[in-house]
Amino acid sequence: MLIKRILTAIIGVIVAGYIINYGQWLFACSVGILALLAWQEFCVMFKQANISLWSGTGSVGIALLLGCAWLGNSQEINMLVMMLTLLVLVKTVVFSPKFNIMNAAVTLFGILYIGLSFSHLLLLRFTDPSVYITSVFGSLSFGTAFLWIAFIGTWANDTFAFFVGSRFGKNKLCPQVSPGKTIEGAIGGIVGSILVVVLLGCLFKISLIHSAILGLLVGIVAPIGDLSESAVKRFTGVKDSGKLLPGHGGVLDRFDSIMFAVPTVYYYLHAFVL
């Protein structure tokens, strides 16, 4: 299992590195594919709990949300969310009781949880595409550099939390959702995120204060993203969201923390940097 995880991680980093740095249509299409795979995993998970979702409309809705994030604007996203809400509620009227309020609520929850979260990968990656940051790795667009901060900060959080928790963990963080996580591991993860993001900030020539705050924020929200998906899995009675990534589970298993970290970085930039 460990060898599978390591090999999958190495291949994933290489592929992700090329796609993120290349950007443009390849990045947008890759995010779209991942989001749709995550949605299918979400639907299968809730099917295990005997809750059927409106899969087809969810796929279309998520694709349109991603399209709005890449090519549109916030008003179009708001309009789409409103239309999807009304459409799903109309189905509860037409197909009740087969498709009831529970089905509608979880369908909307899944569309927004996945669609809006993955949309922020596009929003962050294409932030100020004409502005470049020079580093030891060459020139990166502004959005690319901060997307790497979100990704690597999240990975650092997960890695530090695992090793610190394994060595020093005694007090459970959230036993009702994820019995293996400890308070000590969570603190170690936050410290790891801060250290690694500050280091990246030095390489990308980003101010120390912004780097430290971003590291702290990623260190806080990344484990919340992981715990949130764990709560969904516990509710639906599944161990992993899928089997796409050997040793890592499904797309949701791998991106649950990223789905919280990327929007946090994006809104911090727009609130305090841009």
Side-chain angles (χ1 to χ4, degrees), residues 53-117:
L53 309 187
W54 201 359
S55 177
T57 296
S59 296
V60 174
I62 289 171
L64 290 174
L65 284 171
L66 293 171
C68 289
W70 188 25
L71 303 172
N73 55 55
S74 60
Q75 289 299 315
E76 292 175 352
I77 293 176
N78 291 339
M79 178 191 71
L80 183 57
V81 169
M82 189 71 250
M83 290 178 62
L84 288 168
T85 301
L86 295 176
L87 187 60
V88 171
L89 287 175
V90 166
K91 186 171 182 178
T92 64
V93 174
V94 177
F95 293 94
S96 181
K98 185 176 180 181
F99 189 87
N100 56 35
I101 291 297
M102 173 65 80
N103 302 104
V106 178
T107 296
L108 280 173
F109 162 60
I111 293 173
L112 299 181
Y113 169 52
I114 295 169
L116 292 180
S117 297

Side-chain angles (χ1 to χ4, degrees), residues 35 38-39 41-42 45-46 62 65-66 81 105-120 222 224-233 241 251-260 263:
W39 168 246
E41 291 176 357
F42 188 86
M45 289 166 64
F46 274 91
I62 289 171
L65 284 171
L66 293 171
V81 169
V106 178
T107 296
L108 280 173
F109 162 60
I111 293 173
L112 299 181
Y113 169 52
I114 295 169
L116 292 180
S117 297
F118 276 87
S119 292
H120 283 78
I224 294 175
D226 180 56
L227 287 169
S228 297
E229 200 238 349
S230 294
V232 172
K233 290 191 292 186
S241 67
V251 174
L252 283 174
D253 292 321
R254 188 66 275 172
F255 282 82
D256 50 8
S257 298
I258 294 291
M259 291 163 69
F260 275 56

Side-chain angles (χ1 to χ4, degrees), residues 1 5 36 39 41 66 69 93 126 130 133 136 146 152 175 191 198 206 210 254:
M1 179 64 74
R5 286 181 63 88
L36 292 176
W39 168 246
E41 291 176 357
L66 293 171
V93 174
F126 297 115
S130 61
I133 293 176
V136 294
F146 281 94
I152 296 177
V191 173
V198 166
I206 300 168
H210 285 313
R254 188 66 275 172

